[in-house]
Amino acid sequence: MPLLSLMILLPVLAALVIFILPGGDAQRARVIALGTTLVEFGLGLLLWRDYATDAPGFQFVEKLDLFAPYLSWHLGIDGIALMLIMLSVFLMPLCILASWTSIQKRVPEYMAAFLLMETLMIGTFAARDLFLFYLFFEGGLIPMFLIIGIWGGGRRIYASYKFFLYTLLGSVLMLLAMIYMAGVAQTTDIGELSRFDFAPDVQIWLFLAFFASFAVKMPMWPVHTWLPDAHVEAPTAGSVILAGVLLKLGGYGFVRFSLPMFPDASAHLIWLVFGLSMVAVVYTSLVALVQSDMKKLIAYSSVAHMAFVTAGLFALNTQGIEGSLMMMLSHGLVSAALFLCVGVVYDRLHTREIARYGGLANNMPRYALLFMFFTMASVGLPATSGFIAEFLVLIGLYQTSTWATLVMTTGIILGAAYMLWLYRRVVFGTAAGDDTRAMHDLSTREVVILAPIAAAVLWMGIYPASFQAPMKPAIAAIMTRLDGRELATLPTWLSFSSRAAVVADPATPEAAR
């Protein structure tokens, strides 16, 4: 059975059914969307069950020549794509449930937009053709643009256009680079392009062209300013899928394209990525400390956490790459849960201002417990997903640059500061008003939404090998491409205890030297 094609086409068909059925009934649209996303999650579990974790290369491959040699319906996944698809199908039904009562206008269109978003996310991770990837990658802008612009807050038009223009303009250079690559390599197959050796001087320009797109998607400093506005204005479920999955498209792009296709450029330009990551983790953490809006604080924390992803990826060793991928999964779960926690109190009080809350531990104990758990996961408490991800990133980064590791470690300290400061003001102390004291605890629906994420965060923290095992062959293939590449001479502020070259097995004493 062509599972990948089925997973891509099923949400589109469900969206069409929502539009075709007469009456535009809101409750029917909700039920169809929830049922479809649950079926998608079940198909994802089938993918995970049947995936051979010890087999290299891509699996579940499907190919149909549509407009050969320019475009093929070519699908396939490795362990990295599998985990990100699972993250997508896991969060999507929770987004539908989170919107069950909060979205009351144009509900069929809203549910159809989320179903289309699911199709485009899965297609991005499953695409094996260069231009098919681009279509899915950029297509995800459209439903999110509509979700923010139609169902967002007071400044939704500004936020949606800023989001759209930033991310679209960043991808124009990438499209030009793709056209050049297809012409030189005479193929649009991503697997073949990953083994093609472009000239080292050409790699630099190709790397920068892809970097322009992926840096905005992450987002990296200083092209991150669209993210806080988008999060603040987006509905709760929009923020969940934006932070949980869409931000991971940039990291996935670095893993799928930049590292294997441009290994010389990746080794040569690590100083650029390290520098931007170091600024991001310190600057955005300090900005998060002074925020008065809960959503904006969590949005800035997302920029800081994604800086760990880029730093780990360009440490160019197994631990760094593995830690970055685990960070992507962990952040996808934890940030989604934090935005859902904000949505819970926003639905009751209709404000995200931190000063309007306080003392919620008294009248919302279940909420306080789950919010505390996700706060601890965000700051990297052992036995949560955040700990193993940050630990692996720092181990990998230390082998490449000690100074970069020291700076990135401050992000953990600052992260604890702003997250615990947020939790203390919202949950403890004295309630800001009678309306705050009257807020009721989590409903059954809200517990059903948050509990699975808490279980997944705990599972990843206690038994990370179940998530790492499918990704190991793909990481080994990337390290094979990077093996022996000469690192650039790092600036003085990065060069203390840095390596001279990328090695295949960084766990050995010779490699660590």
Side-chain angles (χ1 to χ4, degrees), residues 170-171 173-177 204-214:
S171 298
L173 292 176
M174 182 177 74
L175 178 59
L176 295 176
I204 297 292
W205 295 106
L206 294 175
F207 178 94
L208 292 174
F210 278 78
F211 186 82
S213 176
F214 300 149

Side-chain angles (χ1 to χ4, degrees), residues 268-338:
H268 188 72
L269 293 174
I270 61 170
W271 61 270
L272 172 64
V273 180
F274 281 2
L276 295 178
S277 300
M278 290 161 64
V279 172
V281 78
V282 176
Y283 170 74
T284 56
S285 295
L286 293 174
V287 173
L289 272 170
V290 298
Q291 295 304 312
S292 59
D293 185 295
M294 284 190 283
K295 257 194 172 184
K296 191 166 282 192
L297 187 152
I298 299 170
Y300 278 109
S301 79
S302 293
V303 181
H305 281 91
M306 296 311 288
F308 271 86
V309 173
T310 50
L313 288 176
F314 285 87
L316 304 184
N317 55 48
T318 301
Q319 291 95 333
I321 296 173
E322 193 170 293
S324 293
L325 295 172
M326 292 293 287
M327 176 65 78
M328 288 166 62
L329 297 176
S330 172
H331 179 264
L333 294 171
V334 175
S335 64
L338 289 173

Side-chain angles (χ1 to χ4, degrees), residues 107-254:
V107 175
E109 291 88 344
Y110 179 88
M111 296 300 168
F114 266 90
L115 290 171
L116 180 59
M117 176 70 69
E118 185 168 28
T119 282
L120 295 169
M121 291 187 305
I122 296 172
T124 301
F125 298 130
R128 295 270 287 125
D129 181 88
L130 193 64
F131 294 115
L132 185 65
F133 168 85
Y134 185 83
L135 290 175
F136 283 125
F137 184 80
E138 289 305 305
L141 294 176
I142 299 172
M144 183 52 67
F145 172 79
L146 296 175
I147 289 167
I148 298 173
I150 297 175
W151 294 277
R155 300 177 72 241
R156 60 186 181 274
I157 303 300
Y158 166 79
S160 60
Y161 272 99
K162 188 174 183 180
F163 159 75
F164 188 87
L165 292 175
Y166 262 71
T167 50
L168 178 64
L169 292 176
S171 298
V172 172
L173 292 176
M174 182 177 74
L175 178 59
L176 295 176
M178 285 180 170
I179 295 172
Y180 173 85
M181 292 164 60
V184 171
Q186 292 297 299
T187 181
T188 59
D189 184 274
I190 291 176
E192 294 181 19
L193 287 168
S194 298
R195 297 185 293 271
F196 188 86
D197 291 320
F198 295 97
D201 56 334
V202 173
Q203 284 189 33
I204 297 292
W205 295 106
L206 294 175
F207 178 94
L208 292 174
F210 278 78
F211 186 82
S213 176
F214 300 149
V216 174
K217 278 285 199 296
M218 290 291 286
M220 296 179 68
W221 180 91
V223 289
H224 68 286
T225 56
W226 64 268
L227 183 66
D229 292 319
H231 271 311
V232 168
E233 301 305 326
T236 297
S239 292
V240 168
I241 213 65
L242 179 60
V245 182
L246 293 188
L247 297 191
K248 311 306 176 287
L249 296 181
Y252 178 74
F254 283 131

